[in-house]
Amino acid sequence: MFLINLSVRLRMMMCAVCMVLTTILLPESIYADMTERHGSNFHNNGAALQCDSLNVDLGIVEPDSIGVGEFRYSNAGNKPLVITDVFTTCGCTRLDMDTEPLPPGGKGVINVRFISKGLQEGPFCKRVRVMTNSETEPTIVFTITGRIKRKLLR
């Protein structure tokens, strides 16, 4: 019992020390960057990708069909946003998007198609990595989720 309490106390002390050291040693610019990244809606350091959501839920997808959804994003920066590359984790996922630079304040959409042909019934989760010229987060990963409905035998 004493060892468990000692372990808990040591962890609490380490957390407190980390917080103090972080406050003292990290430059103010890191805090400003974190605040800008998470607390502001507009960035003035270049292009800035901002997402409505990092998940596209396709709901229930029929077997041997195509589920369709949208990934919405905007440019919260002061320079044009360019999507430089997109990677999917599966050949069953197709993406359509505009390749033109997105002006500051502009909104964009990546159309998502999930092809369930030949895939097993049940839940799925596919990841899409989007690479951009964003100054704050050049790479983001969003997920495509849903469930393939059970195929009825006739």
Side-chain angles (χ1 to χ4, degrees), residues 57-92:
D57 185 8
L58 301 180
I60 297 175
V61 178
E62 294 290 327
D64 300 328
S65 69
I66 299 175
V68 179
E70 295 180 334
F71 171 72
R72 296 179 175 276
Y73 62 95
S74 60
N75 181 1
N78 66 350
K79 292 183 182 168
L81 177 72
V82 178
I83 295 178
T84 56
D85 218 339
V86 179
F87 300 97
T88 62
T89 56
C90 179
C92 60

Side-chain angles (χ1 to χ4, degrees), residues 82-138:
V82 178
I83 295 178
T84 56
D85 218 339
V86 179
F87 300 97
T88 62
T89 56
C90 179
C92 60
T93 307
R94 302 281 192 271
L95 306 171
D96 294 317
M97 67 194 141
D98 192 5
T99 56
E100 295 297 315
L102 189 65
K107 296 184 182 292
V109 174
I110 297 176
N111 294 306
V112 175
R113 290 183 298 142
F114 173 76
I115 304 165
S116 67
K117 183 172 180 132
L119 298 177
Q120 290 184 348
E121 66 185 58
F124 62 86
C125 180
K126 306 298 178 185
R127 288 181 181 79
V128 177
R129 184 171 45 158
V130 179
M131 301 176 75
T132 70
N133 68 328
S134 175
E135 297 288 330
T136 55
E137 291 188 61

Side-chain angles (χ1 to χ4, degrees), residues 10-26 31:
L10 282 173
R11 275 194 231 151
M12 289 174 62
M13 286 176 33
M14 288 173 60
C15 286
V17 169
C18 278
M19 288 174 62
V20 170
L21 288 176
T22 302
T23 306
I24 293 170
L25 298 177
L26 286 180
Y31 288 114

